[in-house]
Amino acid sequence: MYEKNIGIIICNYNKKDYVLKCIESVLDQSFKNMDIYVVDNASEDGSAEAIQSQYKDRVSLIVNKENLGGSGGFNTGMRKALEKNYEYLVLLDNDVYLNKDSIEILYNTMCENNDIGIQGCKILKMDNPDIIQEFTSMVDYKNMVVNLGYSGEKDNLELPKLKDCDVVPACALIVRTDIIKKIGFMPEDNFVSWDDIEWGLLCWRAGYRVVANSEAKAWHKGGSTVAKNTFNVYYGYRNKIEFFMKYMNTLKTTETDLQERVKERVDNILKDVFKAVYACYYGKKYNRAKTIMDAFFDALINKKGKAENYQIRDLEQVEDRVQKLLEGHKSIILQMNNHIEESRKILVRLQQYQKLLNIEFSIIVYNQNKLEIDELCEHKIKFVLPSGDISKSLVLEVCEHVFDIKEEKYRNNIWIDGWCNLILNEKDYQVCSCFKESYKLFKICYEDRLEKIIEANLNKSEII
C-alpha cells in the first residue's frame, strides 16, 4: 500500500523567482495526494532561504553542498523519495510551471497504461505560451541529432493524447518507481545534457514505453537567455559524442553491415566535431572552438562529471555579419534552392533581426511551390512575388552548408546556410574551400582511435 501516490522533485540552481513560481503551480494542482521535494544545488541567490521561509512544512528542502548538475540534483531527490513508498515520481525543472490538471492527467494515464515507464508533458514556451517547445522527440542515430517534435508549431494542432517517442525532457515528466529500480537513476556522470535522452533509451530497452501526453501541459523557460559562456557547449558536445560512441542501431545487421555502420558513425562524429570547430574559426569564435575540442578529447578518454573550470570560457564579442548585412535593406530575395529546413532556420533568425534592428522587410521567394512557402508562413514574415524594381533587394542564396559550396557557384552571390554562416566574398570562399582538405587530416589523426572505442562499446546482443 502506497503512503502517497506521487513524490514531486524540483531541481533548482540560482533561479529563485522561477522556482517559487514552479512550487506555486504544483501546490495549485488538482491532484493533492503527493509530497514535494526541492533539491537546491548550492544556489547563491537566496533560493534555499526563500523556499524555507515561504513554504516551510509544505515542501521538503534538500540543500546540496555543491552544484551536482541537473542529473545529480534530480538523483539526490529521487534517492530521498525512494525511502518512502511512492508509486510514481514527477521531475520538474525550476523554470517550469504546470497547467492546473497536468499532474492528475499524468497520474491517471500511468494507472491506465501499465506498459508506460516514463511519460512527459507537452512542453510550451514560457515566453511564447501558444508555441510548442517540444512534444515527442526522436533520436536520429544516422545524423546524430535529437529531433524535437512539433518544435515551433502553434498549440492549436489536433495531436493524439499519447504518442510514443524516444525521449521526454526531464523538465516535466513522471516515472514509475519500479522502473528506476530496474534501470537505475539518471546518468549522473553527464552532469547536465543528454541524461534524459539516455534514460529514455534505457527505459525502452527494459521493455517499457516512453510517451508524451498532449493533454498535460508545462511551460518552460529553458535556454531562452543569451549564453555568456561555453557551459552548454561543453556538456552538449561531450555527452552527445559519448552517447553516439556507446549506442548504435544493430537491428538485423550482418557483420559486414555492422562494420560499415561503425565506419559511418566514426565519420559522422568526426565531421560533426570538425565542422563545428572550423565554423568557429571561420566566425572568430575561438573560445567556443577550444571548448568543443576539450569536450571531444574528454569524450575520447571517457572523462565524465563536472568540467574543469578552465574548460568553461567566456564567449567573445564578435561582429554579427548577418546583422551588418541586413542593415538598411527593406527587401530580401531568398533563393531557397529547395533547402526547406535550412530556410526555416534562417527565417527564425530573420525574425529576431527584425526585432533587434526595429525594421520590417519583405521576403521575396523564387522558384518554390506554394506548399513549401505555406510551410514557412508560420514565421509571420511577409512573402511577396517578385515585381517591380528588385535591383536594390538583398539576394540570399540558401545552401546546406557554406563549406560545401563549389567555386563555380559562389561567384557574385551571397550564400547563407541554416546556421547563418555567410559567403560574401573571395576571402570567405577561400576559407570555406579549405574545409574538406583540412577535415581529411583531422580524420586521419582520430579515426582509428574512435573506431576502437566504438567497437569496444558495441554489444551485438543489444538492439537499439
Side-chain angles (χ1 to χ4, degrees):
M1 189 70 180
Y2 297 104
E3 298 174 15
K4 288 191 178 179
N5 299 108
I6 294 177
I8 308 289
I9 299 164
I10 302 170
C11 183
N12 176 64
Y13 178 65
N14 282 341
K15 285 190 177 180
K16 180 175 68 174
D17 294 338
Y18 286 104
V19 74
L20 295 177
K21 186 175 182 179
C22 178
I23 294 170
E24 284 296 330
S25 79
V26 174
L27 291 171
D28 196 39
Q29 289 293 301
S30 57
F31 188 91
K32 300 298 182 184
N33 192 17
M34 59 186 179
D35 294 321
I36 304 173
Y37 300 83
V38 179
V39 181
D40 186 80
N41 263 332
S43 295
E44 299 171 346
D45 66 346
S47 290
E49 294 81 0
I51 294 167
Q52 184 63 39
S53 173
Q54 293 190 35
Y55 300 107
K56 297 180 181 178
D57 297 336
R58 291 186 290 173
V59 169
S60 296
L61 178 63
I62 304 168
V63 180
N64 287 329
K65 294 181 180 180
E66 61 178 315
N67 182 9
L68 301 180
S71 51
F74 279 129
N75 287 351
T76 299
M78 286 192 281
R79 290 187 185 102
K80 183 67 176 178
L82 286 181
E83 294 175 4
K84 293 192 176 182
N85 196 20
Y86 299 110
E87 190 173 5
Y88 308 104
L89 298 181
V90 169
L91 307 188
L92 299 174
D93 272 356
N94 51 4
D95 55 353
V96 158
Y97 68 87
L98 303 171
N99 209 40
K100 191 169 184 176
D101 58 354
S102 290
I103 291 179
E104 183 175 5
I105 291 170
L106 293 175
Y107 172 76
N108 288 337
T109 302
M110 295 298 273
C111 292
E112 294 165 3
N113 297 270
N114 293 328
D115 58 345
I116 295 176
I118 300 176
Q119 179 189 182
C121 294
K122 176 167 61 176
I123 311 298
L124 303 164
K125 295 184 177 182
M126 186 179 289
D127 293 334
N128 203 342
D130 295 326
I131 300 297
I132 297 173
Q133 186 178 96
E134 181 177 350
F135 177 70
T136 64
S137 295
M138 302 298 292
V139 179
D140 181 344
Y141 286 90
K142 181 176 178 59
N143 296 306
M144 299 194 323
V145 295
V146 176
N147 296 316
L148 304 182
Y150 301 93
S151 179
E153 300 280 356
K154 291 182 179 179
D155 187 30
N156 58 4
L157 303 172
E158 291 188 12
L159 300 172
K161 177 183 176 181
L162 297 180
K163 190 170 181 181
D164 290 82
C165 52
D166 289 334
V167 57
V168 292
C171 67
L173 63 77
I174 187 170
V175 57
R176 294 183 189 275
T177 53
D178 288 346
I179 291 295
I180 299 172
K181 295 170 185 176
K182 288 183 179 180
I183 67 174
F185 295 102
M186 297 181 74
E188 195 162 328
D189 285 341
N190 285 31
F191 194 72
V192 296
S193 185
W194 287 81
D195 40 14
D196 47 9
I197 298 170
E198 186 166 0
W199 216 32
L201 173 61
L202 295 175
C203 178
W204 184 89
R205 286 171 58 181
Y208 289 84
R209 295 166 64 197
V210 177
V211 304
N213 192 322
S214 63
E215 296 181 1
K217 294 185 178 183
W219 286 266
H220 185 215
K221 178 71 174 178
S224 302
T225 56
V226 177
K228 296 181 180 180
N229 59 39
T230 60
F231 179 92
N232 289 327
V233 174
Y234 175 83
Y235 293 106
Y237 271 94
R238 186 196 68 183
N239 296 339
K240 172 184 176 179
I241 295 165
E242 288 183 342
F243 181 90
F244 286 111
M245 287 195 308
K246 187 175 181 181
Y247 298 112
M248 289 190 63
N249 186 349
T250 60
L251 181 62
K252 296 180 180 178
T253 303
T254 66
E255 187 68 28
T256 301
D257 289 340
L258 187 56
Q259 291 175 357
E260 291 177 356
R261 289 191 183 189
V262 170
K263 291 184 179 299
E264 181 183 53
R265 177 61 56 82
V266 168
D267 188 50
N268 287 344
I269 291 175
L270 293 178
K271 188 169 288 185
D272 183 70
V273 170
F274 189 70
K275 184 173 282 189
V277 170
Y278 201 86
C280 290
Y281 163 72
Y282 180 57
K284 299 181 179 180
K285 299 176 181 178
Y286 303 123
N287 281 348
R288 183 182 177 93
K290 293 174 186 176
T291 297
I292 294 172
M293 288 305 297
D294 283 341
F296 174 62
F297 291 141
D298 283 352
L300 291 182
I301 64 173
N302 198 32
K303 180 180 180 296
K304 298 179 179 292
K306 194 172 182 179
E308 302 295 337
N309 289 336
Y310 69 84
Q311 295 177 309
I312 308 301
R313 303 171 173 88
D314 292 335
L315 290 170
E316 305 100 327
Q317 296 295 318
V318 297
E319 179 184 64
D320 190 326
R321 301 181 79 206
V322 177
Q323 178 179 330
K324 185 176 181 180
L325 181 66
L326 293 174
E327 289 175 352
H329 288 283
K330 299 292 184 181
S331 175
I332 297 174
I333 296 177
L334 192 68
Q335 293 272 31
M336 293 168 60
N337 301 315
N338 296 313
H339 293 300
I340 300 299
E341 199 53 45
E342 288 76 12
S343 297
R344 190 189 306 277
K345 294 177 183 178
I346 293 167
L347 289 172
V348 170
R349 291 290 295 274
L350 288 179
Q351 277 185 300
Q352 296 169 353
Y353 285 118
Q354 280 185 320
K355 295 178 182 178
L356 181 66
L357 299 173
N358 195 27
I359 61 175
E360 184 172 340
F361 39 72
S362 58
I363 305 296
I364 300 171
V365 181
Y366 276 157
N367 302 327
Q368 299 296 138
N369 63 48
K370 185 177 184 303
L371 177 61
E372 291 171 333
I373 294 175
D374 288 344
E375 287 182 27
L376 301 169
C377 284
E378 67 190 63
H379 300 291
K380 300 179 182 178
I381 290 181
K382 182 181 179 183
F383 287 83
V384 297
L385 295 174
S387 62
D389 182 13
I390 60 174
S391 60
K392 296 181 180 179
S393 298
L394 175 65
V395 181
L396 301 177
E397 297 273 356
V398 179
C399 61
E400 186 171 349
H401 203 287
V402 292
F403 296 159
D404 299 323
I405 295 299
K406 296 180 180 178
E407 184 174 4
E408 64 270 18
K409 285 190 174 183
Y410 94 91
R411 302 288 182 183
N412 302 317
N413 292 327
I414 295 175
W415 290 90
I416 185 170
D417 60 27
W419 291 267
C420 284
N421 297 312
L422 293 170
I423 293 182
L424 299 178
N425 49 43
E426 175 72 22
K427 182 179 178 182
D428 289 342
Y429 172 72
Q430 291 302 326
V431 175
C432 292
S433 64
C434 292
F435 169 79
K436 289 183 180 178
E437 288 302 313
S438 301
Y439 172 66
K440 287 180 182 178
L441 176 60
F442 182 78
K443 184 177 180 181
I444 289 171
C445 292
Y446 294 104
E447 62 179 336
D448 291 344
R449 183 177 179 184
L450 187 55
E451 187 172 325
K452 286 181 173 60
I453 293 172
I454 293 175
E455 289 174 345
N457 286 334
L458 190 61
N459 185 336
K460 296 174 185 177
S461 68
E462 294 178 347
I463 297 173
I464 299 172

